């Protein structure tokens, strides 16, 4: 674990990030890296990079990308104007799961969020991800809300 580093994602990390999402068999979004999808992912990466409210991170072991997550900072009127951060797209390479990488990424996310003034951290997780739910609860997250989505 000593060689694992969490850092802001770089453009050259993009294929490895999407490959992590390709491994997702639960709650899949149909992500696949190929010549037809590459421009869409490149545009999304650039939009995230330009956004002051969003940051995409990777966990690396040497030069290998082994994890990723995105933080979105949300100013809020409720809670006396507190800032909250949403954690999204958390992935750890399948062959490296249960080795502490996810916990290290989430600890990094929490520290980073605090330094940016966030008072709360939230995330959603697909209902099929029972192992992930136990993981987040071990980290101190509580099941406080019921989420809803609608495709547009």
């Amino acid at each position: 674990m000593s060689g694992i580093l969490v850092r802001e994602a770089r453009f050259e990390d993009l294929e490895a990030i999407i490959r992590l999402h390709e491994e997702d068999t639960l709650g899949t979004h149909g992500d696949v890296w190929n010549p037809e999808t590459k421009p869409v992912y490149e545009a999304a990466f650039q939009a995230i990079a330009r956004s002051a409210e969003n940051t995409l991170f990777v966990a690396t072991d040497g030069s290998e990308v082994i994890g990723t997550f995105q933080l979105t900072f949300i100013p809020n009127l409720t809670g006396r104007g507190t800032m909250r951060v949403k954690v999204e797209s958390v992935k750890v390479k399948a062959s490296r799961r249960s080795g502490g990488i996810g916990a290290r990424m989430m600890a990094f996310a929490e520290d980073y969020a605090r330094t940016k003034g966030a008072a709360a951290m939230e995330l959603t997780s697909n209902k099929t991800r029972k192992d992930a739910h136990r993981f987040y609860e071990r980290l101190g997250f509580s099941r406080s809300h019921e989420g809803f989505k609608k495709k547009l």
Side-chain angles (χ1 to χ4, degrees):
M1 283 286 288
S2 62
I4 294 174
L5 171 71
V6 179
R7 62 164 171 79
E8 195 168 332
R10 301 178 190 132
F11 188 77
E12 59 266 20
D13 299 323
L14 184 56
E15 180 178 353
I17 292 167
I18 300 307
R19 297 278 184 207
L20 292 173
H21 289 281
E22 280 181 341
E23 291 183 335
D24 186 3
T25 58
L26 298 173
T28 181
H29 294 279
D31 290 301
V32 61
W33 181 267
N34 64 39
E36 290 132 28
T37 60
K38 182 179 174 186
V40 175
Y41 293 122
E42 290 175 340
F45 183 93
Q46 295 299 344
I48 292 166
R50 285 190 306 271
S51 171
E53 293 81 25
N54 288 278
T55 308
L56 183 63
F57 293 92
V58 292
T60 61
D61 188 356
S63 62
E64 181 185 18
V65 173
I66 58 172
T68 188
F69 63 94
Q70 180 177 336
L71 297 181
T72 302
F73 289 83
I74 306 164
N76 210 358
L77 286 176
T78 61
R80 298 183 181 179
T82 60
M83 175 80 67
R84 70 181 194 271
V85 64
K86 184 168 185 183
V87 184
E88 297 190 277
S89 303
V90 179
K91 298 286 185 251
V92 172
K93 188 172 188 166
S95 63
R96 301 292 297 266
R97 291 185 191 141
S98 298
I101 296 161
R104 181 175 283 191
M105 291 188 327
M106 295 304 289
F108 179 95
E110 192 172 326
D111 289 342
Y112 186 89
R114 275 196 193 100
T115 66
K116 298 292 184 183
M121 198 156 115
E122 64 183 39
L123 57 84
T124 59
S125 180
N126 188 298
K127 288 184 177 192
T128 62
R129 297 182 183 284
K130 305 300 182 193
D131 291 339
H133 301 168
R134 286 188 293 277
F135 167 73
Y136 293 127
E137 287 174 332
R138 277 195 312 270
L139 296 179
F141 287 86
S142 62
R143 296 177 193 227
S144 62
H145 292 74
E146 185 75 22
F148 297 89
K149 289 185 180 181
K150 181 178 182 179
K151 292 196 179 217
L152 304 178

